[in-house]
Amino acid sequence: QLQIVESGGGLVQPGGSLRLSCAASEFTLDYYAIGWFRQAPGKEREGVSCMSSSDGRTYYADSGKGRFTISSDNAKNTVYLQMNSRNPDDTAFYYCAADRWGSAWPPPRSHFGSWGQGTQGTVSS
């Protein structure tokens, strides 16, 4: 049974950085992709970034391009999301999820069937 745990959330000032961690109970290579999503109050959950386990391809939504970086440490079964130059629009609850069966790239949100509990990432003065 897959278990995903996010950590690293917190509060930073505008322009600050935050690094989120996603630890999985199963090997990352067992999944087609690992993704990061976020949901702000009153908004729908949106994709932020994801990484393909087969070839290391990465995807970034326009909201984080140039500021966010996804990476992984297979030895630790962990995927990271480095978020730099954060602004108030980045305030949201961040989730890590796994797409096991795979298909298109980037994977549709509906293909991410395993989710963590999330971690809060706040940007405020």
Side-chain angles (χ1 to χ4, degrees):
Q1 184 175 352
L2 176 65
Q3 181 179 10
I4 295 175
V5 179
E6 301 96 334
S7 62
L11 185 151
V12 298
Q13 295 183 328
S17 298
L18 197 65
R19 189 195 192 201
L20 305 181
S21 298
C22 172
S25 61
E26 299 179 10
F27 292 111
T28 302
L29 292 177
D30 291 337
Y31 302 91
Y32 179 71
I34 303 295
W36 284 98
F37 296 79
R38 69 184 185 185
Q39 186 168 20
K43 295 185 177 180
E44 295 184 353
R45 189 170 300 184
E46 63 177 358
V48 178
S49 179
C50 64
M51 172 180 287
S52 168
S53 61
S54 62
D55 57 11
R57 283 182 298 169
T58 58
Y59 163 83
Y60 298 95
D62 289 341
S63 60
K65 286 184 178 178
R67 301 187 298 123
F68 297 173
T69 302
I70 189 170
S71 61
S72 65
D73 185 340
N74 291 336
K76 297 181 179 180
N77 286 341
T78 301
V79 175
Y80 305 94
L81 181 66
Q82 178 70 38
M83 299 183 287
N84 298 328
S85 301
R86 287 173 58 82
N87 58 65
D89 290 337
D90 295 320
T91 295
F93 211 77
Y94 287 77
Y95 299 87
C96 181
D99 171 13
R100 178 175 288 181
W101 60 88
S103 60
W105 184 262
R109 182 172 58 189
S110 61
H111 286 191
F112 290 88
S114 300
W115 296 79
Q117 293 295 101
T119 185
Q120 179 68 34
T122 302
V123 181
S124 177
S125 299

